Amino acid sequence: MTLGAGNDEIQKQIDHLFSSILVEQKTINKVKGADPGKESMAKKLLEDYGDNRGRGFIFDNLSTGRGHGPFTEHQDGSVKFDLINGIGINLLGHSHPVYIKSCLEAATYDTLMCGNLQPYGPSKELTKSITDAVDDSRLKHFWFAGSGSFANDLALKLLWQKQSPKYGLIAFNNAFAGRSVATQDITTNPAYREGMPRNLNVSYAPHYDQNNPDGALQNTLDALDKIWNENPDSFCAIMMEIIQGEGGFVFGTKEYYQGVFDWAKSKGIYIWIDEVQSFGRTHELFAFQTFGLQEYVDIVTIAKTLQVGGLLYTEELNPKPGLIAGTFNGSIPSIIAGSKVVKFLTEGNFYGQNGRIKQIEETFIGKLQDLMAGSCKGKIKYAGGIGTMIAFEVGNSDKEDTWKFIRKLFENGIVAFSAGRGPVRVRFLLPISLKDEHIDEIFQILEKTVHEVF
Ligand SMILES: Cc1ncc(COP(=O)(O)O)c(C=O)c1O
């Protein structure tokens, strides 16, 4: 335990508070419908909030701050399975001991935010644990960033400085890199940058084609050659989500990535992996480790599951002083949580072919395939994904059918989201706190919902 102000009495009270909070949170342990008496009050709260921020919300789900494991409680009194957890923030599950302890420990510190001129012990610890976790690669340094988008902005700056004046970037169709002034130009969905000027020079190649595994690599390489030949020697890097998050959990094989990255190396450009969504969620801590790509990576961006953003880079990419800095270097609770998350994940039995994450993946995909072949034949069209990133298609695999289904799923007790634009998929970013009995109940709700909607 890392405390700021600490003595035996404080320690005792922290232990006591920790247990009391956990015991109380653990009472949120099953799906439950809204309380009729609370429904209109909850709607009004969210409407007022929406009015103040200028836009309503996708779901009626203002949280009460209570939840445990996969369960989340909303102001209308309902409790639901949270299978998207804020688009991938709470991999460990609601009110996980790691999160509660981190906040209690942080309360003993003399301030809330770490700053560039105000480093703290927990920042040092997190930097050490995350760099130790990649000691099988050439990645050597870690720098904090306020979000996934900001981590990506910083990555771009390192690459530009090193490769100046080669400012072009190669990315992939259906990429999502964030919504900052720079990253909105890498993100391909035009709806996310309506009315925005183009600031970056980004060229796009097709990612792995799940419908044409044999031709996928050649298809990508042909496009890369074309991009290169049109503007030779003008690119600083190739940027890739190994598992495309917003793109619908599209991912390739080790051989595919090796082929693409060998191409990049042959052209002398850097390899930048965006793991903002995939960090922690596949069969190793990093997706690039899951696919055995350690020798290739030059720069990797992370956020979400870590509770704070940041980027890992090689010695070669260490920027000159002055290029990257900022007032905030993460909040103390988030940074304490970041180290604990890394420790919890790497020391527990989560990774590898026999780890819990692989088991969750196999159970979900297996059960979805059973539904596809059985009672939901013709209504569920595709089931796939990797680790805790699971996606499937319903109805016509378009936006209308997918959202009709997701909204009904929400009413029936599961919070999910969509991914991809053609096909559109139902997306789960599963918490690792799921137990087998939860999964059984989730599938009963899924099957019922499919029949209600289609
Ligand atoms: C792959 C990827 N990169 C970058 C981002 C942007 O991260 P943030 O929303 O924290 O700015 C996201 C967010 O969903 C993402 O999935």
Side-chain angles (χ1 to χ4, degrees), residues 201-212:
N201 173 14
V202 187
S203 302
Y204 297 93
H207 203 287
Y208 185 78
D209 184 352
Q210 293 179 316
N211 296 318
N212 178 18

Side-chain angles (χ1 to χ4, degrees), residues 87 147-150 152 176-178 241 246 274 276-277 303-304:
I87 317 204
S147 65
S149 300
F150 197 48
N152 282 344
F176 183 87
E241 290 163 86
E246 304 300 305
D274 177 342
V276 170
Q277 195 159 149
K304 296 195 191 255

Side-chain angles (χ1 to χ4, degrees), residues 141 143 154-155 157-159 161-162 299 311 313-325:
H141 302 293
W143 194 274
L154 295 181
K157 289 177 60 161
L158 263 59
L159 292 161
Q161 186 175 70
K162 188 73 192 172
I299 187 158
L311 60 160
Y313 44 92
T314 60
E315 186 65 63
E316 200 179 322
L317 282 172
N318 202 359
K320 294 182 182 145
L323 188 75
I324 55 172

Side-chain angles (χ1 to χ4, degrees), residues 163 166-171 201-206 219-239 260-271:
Q163 296 274 52
K166 297 178 191 171
Y167 299 132
L169 181 71
I170 299 175
N201 173 14
V202 187
S203 302
Y204 297 93
N219 197 23
T220 303
L221 292 179
D222 289 347
L224 290 171
D225 280 335
K226 187 161 177 284
I227 288 168
W228 188 266
N229 292 336
E230 278 165 8
N231 290 294
D233 263 330
S234 64
F235 300 98
C236 60
I238 188 165
M239 191 255 206
V260 173
F261 296 159
D262 281 334
W263 178 92
K265 290 285 167 209
S266 76
K267 302 294 185 200
I269 63 172
Y270 289 106
I271 293 169

